Amino acid sequence: MNPILKLHEKDNVGTCLRKLEAQETILFDEFSITVKECIPQYHKIALKYIPIHNPVYKYGQIIGLATEEIFQGDYVHVHNIESMRGRGDKKEEC
Amino acid sequence: MMLKGYARENGTFGIRNHLLIIPASVCAVEVANRIAVKVSAISLPHQHGCCQMGADFRQTVRTLTGFGCNPNVGAVLVVGLGCEGIQADQIAHEIEKTGKEASFITIQDCGGTTKTVEQGIHIASKMAENLSLMKRATFPLNHLILGMECGGSDPTSGIVANPAIGIASDLLVSMGGSSILSETTEVIGAEHILAERFYDSKERAKFLDMVSKVEKRALAVGEDLRGSQPTPGNIQGGLSTIEEKSLGCMHKAGNTTPFLGALEYGEPVPTTKPGLYFMDTPGEDIDSITGMVAGGAQLIVFTTGRGTPTGCPIAPVIKITGNPETYRNMEENIDVNGGKVILGECTLDSVGKEIFEKMIAVANGELTKAEKLGHKEFGIYRIGYTF
């Protein structure tokens, strides 16, 4: 079983079915991904480059926006993506 | 398909036969608890029932009344203090309309704690005796109302456990039963997909309005929802945003079954029109389950990624995890191991069917792990202040 699960063709992140180690190379969809940093089990890995402020796709749907440039193989989580909903902290900007 | 349960006077069927002692307000909780212990009944400890206003007051009344009316309850004693906002006699009379035995007492009328406990035991013992004589009778599956919940979610919930109960829910509805998707907060970011499955435009608008109101309430706090939703445990498990959590949560409602309507918290599921419904409950598990059971759900299925022990005072709760490590860690609390799918040992379809078979067995009397462990969590969703 491939350790990375991509749920929808549109997705730019995948779910790691096991803990991935830094520098590990995984063959995925006929290309290989080098894991940039250790990623915990069931957390997300970037399958391709995501520019800052661009949407992050899982289930073929937008789950948030990149808060910094994300490169293929990067760990994707709260440190580099943010929600667009329920942002009372950004209320004045809306 | 036929099931075995307890026939109620109003044509509904219970899958349990509980005697319920309802405190009308927080002031009557201790007395209600003491009566319940003495007659092996179930009490509903809560912190509300007085100095509430408007929609919030009505919601608390609807929840307490709904618990009494739920077909899993055979008889009810309401215990009040006497002077509180929610009056014990009104709750009892509303429950009595279902045809089941419902009575009330107040601490101020009885003359204090000791006399009220004595009087309560006297009334409730007779009720317990009557209930003990009831036998299960066969009833068609279309009387079964399922409530669906997810809590302590992690990414395996959206990938395995929620789609698996979606399969079981689709199956139940296709056979004539009813099912409820809940947790409005956990619809934020997925409402555009679910809205397409409401064919009645009025109900669709009601559903979207419920989601919008919850988001506005969160925005009014002036902070980022993240940290509250998703919770610290969700985040530790790997969920990054409310959108990601919601897009996993929505799979509980299956793929194709249309939504017949959007119900208020604790609003009765229309027994004349079985099918899939949405109910406006919070993401917090206990309050959400309480709302669905107040709406008439006799059975709850609950998916968890991180693991949780939650039960309900009057409805069996079947727990499912999609995370094999969580199943190993908390097997004591979890009924169905969906972690086998992640490990490639079985298919999602087979776990969906396993959940459906478990639902039927539990409806017919098999105890869930939460029941065996005595879990009876109860919480009323408040939408206003206490004055």
Side-chain angles (χ1 to χ4, degrees):
Chain A
M1 192 187 267
N2 197 298
I4 300 175
L5 176 68
K6 183 180 173 181
L7 292 165
H8 190 278
E9 55 178 34
K10 210 171 171 183
D11 291 357
N12 50 16
V13 294
T15 302
C16 306
L17 295 181
R18 63 166 169 80
K19 181 183 171 191
L20 302 185
E21 302 295 343
Q23 303 313 317
E24 200 180 328
T25 299
I26 293 158
L27 190 67
F28 187 82
D29 265 3
E30 292 170 351
F31 59 88
S32 62
I33 293 179
T34 303
V35 181
K36 298 282 174 55
E37 55 200 314
C38 174
I39 305 177
Q41 190 180 31
Y42 306 131
H43 288 228
K44 294 177 290 298
I45 183 169
L47 302 175
K48 52 180 90 160
Y49 172 69
I50 308 170
I52 184 166
H53 304 319
N54 271 42
V56 178
Y57 287 95
K58 182 181 166 184
Y59 301 107
Q61 299 289 327
I62 299 172
I63 62 163
L65 299 178
T67 54
E68 58 188 41
E69 263 191 318
I70 298 174
F71 296 92
Q72 188 190 61
D74 277 353
Y75 176 27
V76 176
H77 200 18
V78 290
H79 59 282
N80 54 9
I81 77 169
E82 65 174 357
S83 172
M84 301 183 297
R85 306 289 299 271
R87 296 299 301 268
D89 57 324
K90 289 193 168 183
K91 208 165 43 169
E92 283 171 6
E93 295 170 28
C94 296
Chain B
M1 183 184 279
M2 299 299 282
L3 302 171
K4 284 193 148 192
Y6 299 93
R8 303 298 175 207
E9 290 77 359
N10 61 353
T12 61
F13 289 86
I15 61 170
R16 296 294 184 266
N17 199 29
H18 293 298
L19 170 57
L20 191 62
I21 315 292
I22 302 179
S25 69
V26 58
C27 309
V29 165
E30 180 59 29
V31 169
N33 286 353
R34 289 189 198 181
I35 297 166
V37 165
K38 289 285 184 189
V39 297
S40 299
I42 289 173
S43 174
L44 294 180
H46 65 90
Q47 301 172 17
H48 322 293
C50 200
C51 307
Q52 294 178 249
M53 278 177 72
D56 177 55
F57 170 78
R58 288 191 293 275
Q59 186 150 296
T60 300
V61 171
R62 195 163 63 240
T63 308
L64 295 176
T65 311
F67 257 64
C69 293
N70 187 294
N72 285 356
V73 172
V76 181
L77 173 65
V78 186
V79 183
L81 170 60
C83 58
E84 65 265 75
I86 294 183
Q87 288 287 298
D89 60 335
Q90 284 169 8
I91 300 279
H93 288 142
E94 208 50 49
I95 295 166
E96 219 173 17
K97 288 180 188 166
T98 62
K100 71 181 74 170
E101 202 180 351
S103 194
F104 70 93
I105 48 172
T106 70
I107 299 166
Q108 287 163 355
D109 278 346
C110 289
T113 302
T114 310
K115 286 179 185 165
T116 314
V117 172
E118 278 170 9
Q119 179 72 7
I121 292 169
H122 178 70
I123 299 168
S125 314
K126 283 185 187 158
M127 288 175 168
E129 205 180 311
N130 294 340
L131 291 187
S132 71
L133 300 173
M134 287 189 74
K135 298 267 182 286
R136 282 185 184 258
T138 56
F139 72 97
L141 174 126
N142 59 15
H143 287 275
L144 190 64
I145 302 172
L146 175 74
M148 300 186 288
E149 182 67 27
C150 57
S153 296
D154 76 2
T156 67
S157 303
I159 296 169
V160 177
N162 293 339
I165 70 168
I167 291 168
S169 166
D170 277 348
L171 194 56
L172 175 68
V173 174
S174 74
M175 292 170 84
S178 293
S179 186
I180 313 169
L181 178 73
S182 61
E183 304 180 276
T184 314
T185 325
E186 293 166 22
V187 166
I188 295 174
E191 66 268 56
H192 57 293
I193 302 168
L194 291 171
E196 286 175 10
R197 286 164 59 189
F198 283 81
Y199 296 119
D200 181 325
S201 58
K202 257 169 105 179
E203 292 299 320
R204 187 191 310 129
K206 206 164 131 192
F207 163 72
L208 289 171
D209 186 52
M210 286 169 174
V211 183
S212 156
K213 273 189 183 144
V214 163
E215 190 171 12
K216 278 185 190 141
R217 227 177 278 158
L219 289 171
V221 180
E223 289 179 24
D224 189 351
L225 179 61
R226 184 153 77 182
S228 169
Q229 282 279 22
T231 66
N234 296 148
I235 293 170
Q236 207 185 341
L239 296 173
S240 307
T241 63
I242 185 62
E243 294 95 318
E244 183 184 9
K245 187 174 174 179
S246 297
L247 290 160
C249 286
M250 70 165 196
H251 286 102
K252 299 199 292 293
N255 288 318
T256 52
T257 308
F259 283 93
L260 300 184
L263 305 169
E264 296 293 336
Y265 181 87
E267 184 182 342
V269 174
T271 47
T272 50
K273 209 178 158 194
L276 178 65
Y277 287 86
F278 177 78
M279 185 181 281
D280 185 15
T281 74
E284 195 263 306
D285 307 331
I286 318 299
D287 287 11
S288 180
I289 291 173
T290 298
M292 291 188 282
V293 173
Q298 302 110 314
L299 177 63
I300 301 290
V301 287
F302 187 136
T303 65
T304 179
R306 313 279 295 167
T308 167
T310 298
C312 170
I314 61 168
V317 177
I318 301 171
K319 218 69 61 57
I320 299 113
T321 186
N323 185 324
E325 291 77 21
T326 298
Y327 184 73
R328 268 200 301 276
N329 185 39
M330 286 181 63
E331 195 178 340
E332 179 189 28
N333 298 99
I334 297 168
D335 299 277
V336 179
N337 177 16
K340 293 174 285 185
V341 178
I342 286 271
L343 298 173
E345 291 168 7
C346 71
T347 65
L348 195 59
D349 265 337
S350 69
V351 174
K353 285 187 186 114
E354 187 183 339
I355 294 165
F356 184 78
E357 280 160 20
K358 179 61 100 175
M359 280 160 44
I360 300 304
V362 169
N364 285 330
E366 185 184 299
L367 295 179
T368 64
K369 289 190 174 172
E371 285 183 296
K372 285 180 194 163
L373 288 163
H375 280 280
K376 297 184 183 72
E377 289 77 0
F378 177 78
I380 302 173
Y381 178 32
R382 291 287 305 274
I383 49 171
Y385 301 103
T386 305
F387 293 94

